[in-house]
Every structure is written in structure tokens, then in C-alpha cells.
Amino acid sequence: FFFLMIRRPPRSTQSRSSAASDVYKRQRHGQSEYNKENRVGGDSDLTESGVKYAEMLNLFFQQEVRSGELKHFDKSSIRMFTSTLVRAVHTTSKIKLGVKPMSLKILDEINTGLCDGLTYDEIREKYPLVDKERKEDKLRYRYPRGESYLDIIHRIEPVIFEIERCRGPVIVIAHQGILRCLYAYFAKFDIPEIPHIDIPLHNVYKMIPDAYDVDETRFSIDINTGICSKMEKQTLILDTNFDFRFI
């Protein structure tokens, strides 16, 4: 998952293409071995498909630098954040922008505790109450010896604050649970919706916020053909009273 957000300056003072804008990017890592086997958690490496996606994602970035939104920024202004997990670090290593990434533990995927490394079928068989209770309340349910979505919402707050402070492009390579929370914050989703936001592999989201809305364009990267397909553009209306924190 890749997410590009450009914070426009006021129209009265600067144009959309001004290099004074802020750019944020987030993406999901390429397919991992555990993704392929439908297992939760773990620290598996990328599959062959995951490596191909990471390489194509690098080409996407290079295109953005040549003729996209990134052409308005000096490469030295780009910051890149990733988790400490192998699949995210491996994906990050394929992006050749001359930027040294920062690996942050707080960007690691949700801790699945005793269920770590199990398939969903194995969880249903071994821990039937876990499967039942998590389906009833995916937001608040905490894996045994693990985390809930509410836990990771609070965990990633420092990253959100850091992204908000950055004045240049920011790239974040992380995981589905983490990116659901980040995307929800910037797109202003209600907190109960977070665990159900669709963050598919091999997709790119480009979001350009204005004063009261966000223009979002999605791209789908076909790892077999190398084709990046632009999907329908939509506008999200921001709620100025939105509060992401769960009290």
C-alpha cells in the first residue's frame, strides 16, 4: 500500500505546484510468505511476487520524481519511515531515492500474541473464543498477550505527530493494521470503521488535502504486466471537528 498526500498552501499565496507544499506517502509492504499462507503476525520475508512489487514500486517513485508530484521537491527533503519487520525493511530497500530509512518499532504490525504465525483456520480450531470475540468487536478485542486496534491507534500517535511536523515528502512503508490507522487519520474515518478499511496489496493511494477536503486517486499495480492502472478519483469532505483519539 502506498499513500501520497500533498498538503497545499493557501491559494492566495502559493500555487499547487509550489515546493513549499508538504508531501506524505504511505505504503503497504510487498506480499510476504505469511500473506501467501494467510497467517497472522510473524516476521516472514517477501515472496517472489512481493519482491517484484517492491521493484515496480521503486519505478513508480522514480516516475513521480521525474514528472509527478515529487518533481517539485529536492530529494534531500524526503524522509522515509518503516517498521523493524523483515518484509517492510526489504520493501524499503528496493526504493532507490537516496534516502536513508528509519526503522521504527512503533510501526510494526499489530501484535497477535498467542496467535502469532497461525492461519485463521488454525485460530478458529485452537482458540475458538478468540475468533468469536474478535469478530464481535474487532476494534477493542485484544489478542491474548497481544494488542487490539485501540492499542495501535495510541501506539502510532508519535508517528502521526512527526508526519504532521515534516515540511517535505514523507514515505511510510508499514503493515495493514498500521496503515488502516494512518489512513483513517488523514482521510478522517470514524474510529469504529478502522479495522474494516480495505488496504489491498499492490495498490497506491494518492491524496491531496485542501482546506476542507481531500482529493484521492488510487492506482493498482499489476506485478505480472507492470501496468499501473489509475482508478476513479474521489473527494473526501473533512470534518473540522474530527478527533482521532479514543477517549
Side-chain angles (χ1 to χ4, degrees), residues 79-145:
R79 300 188 68 186
M80 188 181 299
F81 300 117
T82 189
S83 78
T84 65
L85 300 178
V86 171
R87 55 195 182 273
V89 173
H90 194 169
T91 301
T92 305
S93 71
K94 296 294 183 181
I95 299 174
K96 308 298 184 182
L97 293 178
V99 178
K100 184 178 180 180
M102 292 180 60
S103 292
L104 305 175
K105 185 72 175 175
I106 57 176
L107 287 177
D108 285 0
E109 181 60 293
I110 186 171
N111 183 347
T112 53
L114 294 178
C115 297
D116 193 63
L118 299 179
T119 65
Y120 287 102
D121 286 340
E122 289 169 344
I123 293 172
R124 279 190 286 271
E125 181 178 342
K126 192 172 183 178
Y127 302 111
L129 278 179
V130 169
D131 179 66
K132 176 179 180 294
E133 292 177 7
R134 192 162 189 264
K135 284 179 178 177
E136 291 174 352
D137 191 352
K138 195 173 180 180
L139 176 68
R140 295 173 180 81
Y141 181 78
R142 181 178 288 123
Y143 281 104
R145 301 182 190 175

Side-chain angles (χ1 to χ4, degrees), residues 15 29 79 91 105 108 131 153 165 171 211 234-235 242:
S15 69
H29 56 77
R79 300 188 68 186
T91 301
K105 185 72 175 175
D108 285 0
D131 179 66
I153 286 171
R165 283 196 295 265
I171 299 171
Q234 59 180 320
T235 298
F242 175 81

